[in-house]
Amino acid sequence: MSAPLKETAPTGGPTPPPPPVGKGTARPGDRRGEGVVLNVFSHGFLALWAVLIVLPLLWLVLSSFKTDAQIGASAFGWPQNWDPGVFSRAWEKGIGDYFLNTVVVLVFSVPLTMLLGSMAAYVLARYEFWGNQLLYYFFVAGAMFPVFLALVPLFFMVKRLDMLNTYQGLILVYVAYSMPFTVFFMHAFFRTLPSAVFEAAILDGASHTRTFFQVMLPMAKPGLLSVGIFNTLGQWNQYILPTVLMQPQSGDDPERYVLTQGLIQLQQQQGYASDLPVLFAGVTIAMVPMLVVYLSFQRQVQAGLTSATLK
């Protein structure tokens, strides 16, 4: 007698192929690979950028400690005698006066730019009135206007005011030159501040002036610090405006050159008897303060640039 046959479950035919991966579908492994490639590329680019920035600065500082013979023999060689006296020579040859003139101008121009720029940006950002947008775009257009196109009328305007080769003339021009960027930057920052704080201050009886200086301006401190650093760097490195406006007008008129002018003047005074270490030392003296300022406040600058976006 034969054993009974057992039924087996049907196999269901051949195994279906996996669903195709479309163009918009990314596998986890592919995403990780793309992230690694992007990370390597970005870090490599930043490393290359750092090398391109640091190496010229390092070469400039090291060249200050060389002699003319060493610079002529090997521009990229290591200094043989580290003599810091070259900086005192550069200071005595006029860099000290140029440095002082630049500091005097910036001590007044940067705070005045920040005060007037923040006030104008606050009014344009928080108050609605006829011509608001027109004034705002007027400032924005000023930021896109090349300064060299206005040099001739600017020269004659300052001359009519009898302010050529004066601190106050250059200060006013620096303020006008830096106002468009300051208003554009602070306008965007003031618009991100909460309106509830402003309304609460008005309801408590605070005047508009008191609300601005005691409530809104302290809240805008990150933005003020960021744009203040940019204005300081821009005005410290300005060359074309002082070249046109800070020239002696007569034999009795004293020289009030700023650092950018002074470095060119120092190079021209050397003539054939060049003293390249002194020139390199002068450039180093002009460069170090701005490096210290930026490195000291880089976190605050980054916070000011990103805070308006994150709010």
Side-chain angles (χ1 to χ4, degrees), residues 13 129 239 255 291 296:
F129 57 90
Y239 173 72
E255 294 181 353
L291 285 177
S296 301

PDB file of all heavy atoms in Angstrom, residues 13 129 239 255 291 296:
ATOM      1  N   GLY A  13       6.190  30.568  -8.154  1.00  0.00           N
ATOM      2  CA  GLY A  13       6.921  30.970  -9.348  1.00  0.00           C
ATOM      3  C   GLY A  13       8.242  31.617  -9.000  1.00  0.00           C
ATOM      4  O   GLY A  13       8.702  31.617  -7.852  1.00  0.00           O
ATOM      5  N   PHE A 129       6.276 105.630   6.587  1.00  0.00           N
ATOM      6  CA  PHE A 129       5.974 106.988   6.160  1.00  0.00           C
ATOM      7  C   PHE A 129       6.183 107.066   4.651  1.00  0.00           C
ATOM      8  O   PHE A 129       6.799 106.183   4.040  1.00  0.00           O
ATOM      9  CB  PHE A 129       6.859 108.016   6.891  1.00  0.00           C
ATOM     10  CG  PHE A 129       8.327 107.789   6.737  1.00  0.00           C
ATOM     11  CD1 PHE A 129       9.051 108.365   5.706  1.00  0.00           C
ATOM     12  CD2 PHE A 129       9.015 106.970   7.640  1.00  0.00           C
ATOM     13  CE1 PHE A 129      10.402 108.151   5.555  1.00  0.00           C
ATOM     14  CE2 PHE A 129      10.376 106.743   7.504  1.00  0.00           C
ATOM     15  CZ  PHE A 129      11.068 107.343   6.459  1.00  0.00           C
ATOM     16  N   TYR A 239      42.522 103.977   0.522  1.00  0.00           N
ATOM     17  CA  TYR A 239      43.674 104.638  -0.089  1.00  0.00           C
ATOM     18  C   TYR A 239      43.277 105.771  -1.033  1.00  0.00           C
ATOM     19  O   TYR A 239      43.856 106.862  -0.988  1.00  0.00           O
ATOM     20  CB  TYR A 239      44.516 103.615  -0.864  1.00  0.00           C
ATOM     21  CG  TYR A 239      45.629 104.238  -1.673  1.00  0.00           C
ATOM     22  CD1 TYR A 239      46.754 104.775  -1.047  1.00  0.00           C
ATOM     23  CD2 TYR A 239      45.555 104.299  -3.062  1.00  0.00           C
ATOM     24  CE1 TYR A 239      47.766 105.361  -1.788  1.00  0.00           C
ATOM     25  CE2 TYR A 239      46.571 104.880  -3.802  1.00  0.00           C
ATOM     26  CZ  TYR A 239      47.678 105.407  -3.159  1.00  0.00           C
ATOM     27  OH  TYR A 239      48.676 105.990  -3.891  1.00  0.00           O
ATOM     28  N   GLU A 255      51.939 117.876   6.366  1.00  0.00           N
ATOM     29  CA  GLU A 255      51.529 116.591   5.812  1.00  0.00           C
ATOM     30  C   GLU A 255      50.712 115.829   6.854  1.00  0.00           C
ATOM     31  O   GLU A 255      51.164 115.635   7.986  1.00  0.00           O
ATOM     32  CB  GLU A 255      52.751 115.763   5.401  1.00  0.00           C
ATOM     33  CG  GLU A 255      53.543 116.348   4.242  1.00  0.00           C
ATOM     34  CD  GLU A 255      54.714 115.462   3.866  1.00  0.00           C
ATOM     35  OE1 GLU A 255      54.971 114.483   4.598  1.00  0.00           O
ATOM     36  OE2 GLU A 255      55.373 115.745   2.852  1.00  0.00           O
ATOM     37  N   LEU A 291      44.589  92.744  12.141  1.00  0.00           N
ATOM     38  CA  LEU A 291      44.556  91.310  12.419  1.00  0.00           C
ATOM     39  C   LEU A 291      44.147  91.044  13.858  1.00  0.00           C
ATOM     40  O   LEU A 291      43.344  90.147  14.140  1.00  0.00           O
ATOM     41  CB  LEU A 291      45.928  90.690  12.139  1.00  0.00           C
ATOM     42  CG  LEU A 291      46.311  90.496  10.671  1.00  0.00           C
ATOM     43  CD1 LEU A 291      47.728  89.933  10.572  1.00  0.00           C
ATOM     44  CD2 LEU A 291      45.330  89.574   9.970  1.00  0.00           C
ATOM     45  N   SER A 296      40.237  89.034  17.484  1.00  0.00           N
ATOM     46  CA  SER A 296      39.658  89.190  18.815  1.00  0.00           C
ATOM     47  C   SER A 296      38.137  89.163  18.789  1.00  0.00           C
ATOM     48  O   SER A 296      37.504  88.729  19.759  1.00  0.00           O
ATOM     49  CB  SER A 296      40.144  90.500  19.446  1.00  0.00           C
ATOM     50  OG  SER A 296      41.556  90.533  19.552  1.00  0.00           O
TER      51      SER A 296
END
